[in-house]
Structures are given as structure tokens and as C-alpha cells.
Amino acid sequence: MRSVLCFGEALIDFHAEGRDPQGYPQAFLPFAGGAPANVAVAVAKLGGASRFAGMLGKDLFGDFLLDSLQHAGVDTRDVARTDTANTALAFVALDAHGERSFSFYRPPSADLLFRPEHFRADTFDGTAVFHVCSNSMTEPSAAETTREGMRRARAAGTLVSFDLNLRPALWPRDVDARAEAWQALQLADLVKLSAEEFAWLAVDGEAAVMERLWQGRTRLLVVTDGPNPLRWFHPDAEGELPAYRVPMVDSTAAGDAFVGCLLQQLAEQQIGAGELDALVATLPRLHATLRHAAAAAALAVTRQGSFVALPTLDEVLGFMASHS
């Protein structure tokens, strides 16, 4: 099977534990995380060929992340290391419903220092999917590296996937995050948004978002909305599917579980950019693929953490068998 290559940040998610009398966390436990790293682990745990490309600090946390990726079965030959900056940190607080909020210690951080020259000469050989998020675009040089990776992947015949994964706190106040995001959106064959991100982009309405996407490279847009129905859009069709409703413990890895399962399914079915139209034209196949992804996301929200919350293929299949 050709591999799914995920590019961008790997960081440490510190999850709050316990509360003092004033309501503040009593401790924070470290979990390996970072959106594209989560997707890479999701693919590996589902039995897919998975790789991660990014920069880690030469520090304790960088060692922890590298070991965690490798232990999960992710190929790390495309990981670079630096002693110029430390590995990024994120502190995660959960509300009573399991919804998370983040406090980031970034920049400066190692993940923003990956440059085009750090891609190996054969990085994109044998790659089914190249996946990125917007968090590698919050610094100008890192943003151009992200776009260059997308262009190189396309030149190699690789399907390009983009999950906005918007984190407003990471963007400098003098940067137009929408303008930056659109530069990547129009390079992607497959785009995944949350309902909130779709609304954020849709300043001129949803139809304007889709018209702009179709003017670029995009052939499939998927919009998730937690336990509410997910929506999908293609230049010639659109639809929705019900989501699974489960008790939520931690939503941190939900979107990444969804994307990882979706990309693993596409790679397994040998669906590249040129086959997305045919996938949409065969609705039972498209719906089955999206249902797998929704099941992976539902399982992830029932567990705390990032890497550790991502399900295996057997767990996904078992969940689907027991939930209509």
C-alpha cells in the first residue's frame, strides 16, 4: 500500500487533571499530539502505511514525540531535528462537556523551522496522500514550505489533503489568516472543515466558499459538526450523513481521527485525485468511507488524549457493528 504522508507540527498536549478550590487545574499530564502527527498515528493504528514529516527539537519533548510516533508504527524518516528552538507545547483544558480550549507556547518552536530543503529527494515517491493543516502556516517561511510541499506532492501525482484545523490563538494579529488559509485551500484536492471553520470562511456565504474551492483544485469538501450530520460537497453533487452520538470525554483528537481514517480508506482503495469524481459518483462507496471516518471520530471522543485516543481498525469495525 502506498503511504499517507502527514506534514506539520508535532507537539506536547498537556491535559489538565484535577481542580483546586478555586477551580484551577492541579496538574497537567503530557500527551503526544499535534494535528498532522495525530493523523499520521491514526492512519498507522488503522493498519495503513503512515509517515510523518516535520521538525522536532533536540530536547526531552522531541525525544518523547519521536519515540511515540515510532511506537505507533509511523515511519519517521522524514523527521528533522534542531537545537535552535524547543518543541512546541499546548496546555489543554476541558469543559464539563469534553470540549477543549488551548493555551499554546509557540512560537518560537522547532516545528516552524522545517524548510523545503528538509524534504528528502525521494520524500514524495510512493506517496498516496500528502496531508497538511493550517498550523504550519502561521509563520511566513513555514507557510511557504507547506505550500511547496503541496506543490511537490501534486507534481508527484499525490492526492493533496488539507484540514483547516483553525487555532486563532496561533496567528499573529497582523496576519490575515483567511488569506493565508485560502492559498492552501486552493492547492488541495480534498478539504476537511469543521462547521465552525466553514462558517469562518463563509463571510460571503457558503456558496461563495464552494465556488472558490471549485475554481482551485478541490474535488471534495467534507464538513463535520460533532454529533450533528456531516455534510459533503462536490462540484456536481452534495449530501449529508448522520453522525454517531456517544458520551464525550475529550474532543481533542476527534477531527484528526476522522481525517486519518478517511485518508487511510482512500489510500487502501487506491483513490487518488483523479478518482475522487468516481468516488462521489458511487454514493454507497462514498458513504461507507465517510461512515468509517465518523466511527473513528466517535471512538476518539470517548477517550482522553491525542495519540492514545485514536482507535485501531478492529475497534472501528466493532463500533460500527454495534452502532447503527
Side-chain angles (χ1 to χ4, degrees), residues 99-185:
E99 287 291 351
R100 71 275 192 268
S101 58
F102 297 90
S103 296
F104 291 98
Y105 285 73
R106 171 188 184 263
S109 61
D111 62 286
L112 294 173
L113 300 181
F114 197 100
R115 296 294 178 261
E117 58 268 24
H118 294 123
F119 288 120
R120 297 177 300 106
D122 61 350
T123 287
F124 297 97
D125 293 351
T127 303
V129 180
F130 181 63
H131 174 70
V132 301
C133 303
S134 70
N135 293 339
S136 59
M137 304 184 69
T138 59
E139 188 276 332
S141 295
E144 178 52 32
T145 300
T146 303
R147 293 189 291 267
E148 176 62 17
M150 297 172 84
R151 289 189 288 265
R152 292 189 190 185
R154 175 167 298 281
T158 298
L159 186 151
V160 178
S161 165
F162 182 73
D163 177 7
L164 182 55
N165 196 50
L166 182 68
R167 299 288 180 264
L170 290 177
W171 289 86
R173 293 183 180 180
D174 59 347
V175 172
D176 185 345
R178 283 188 187 86
E180 288 292 326
W182 269 112
Q183 292 190 58
L185 285 162

Side-chain angles (χ1 to χ4, degrees), residues 20-103:
D20 68 14
Q22 286 73 45
Y24 293 102
Q26 292 180 311
F28 286 91
L29 296 180
F31 290 87
N38 290 340
V39 173
V41 170
V43 172
K45 292 182 74 171
L46 291 165
S50 174
R51 293 158 55 207
F52 177 76
M55 184 77 76
L56 301 177
K58 291 182 179 178
D59 54 23
L60 175 64
F61 293 131
D63 293 342
F64 174 54
L65 285 166
L66 186 63
D67 182 69
S68 297
L69 286 164
Q70 293 172 344
H71 183 74
V74 177
D75 185 330
T76 59
R77 76 183 78 174
D78 295 289
V79 172
R81 305 292 297 271
T82 181
D83 56 9
T84 303
N86 290 328
T87 300
L89 308 178
F91 288 81
V92 185
L94 301 175
D95 66 17
H97 305 290
E99 287 291 351
R100 71 275 192 268
S101 58
F102 297 90
S103 296

Side-chain angles (χ1 to χ4, degrees), residues 46 230 242-244 246 254 257-258 261 288-302 311-312 315-321 323:
L46 291 165
L230 67 87
Y244 295 98
V246 294
F258 182 96
C261 189
T289 301
L290 293 174
R291 277 196 293 269
H292 270 83
L299 276 167
V301 303
T302 65
T312 65
E315 289 173 329
V316 171
L317 294 176
F319 178 88
M320 293 179 69
H323 293 72

Side-chain angles (χ1 to χ4, degrees), residues 246-257:
V246 294
M248 185 163 67
V249 173
D250 181 355
S251 64
T252 301
D256 302 327

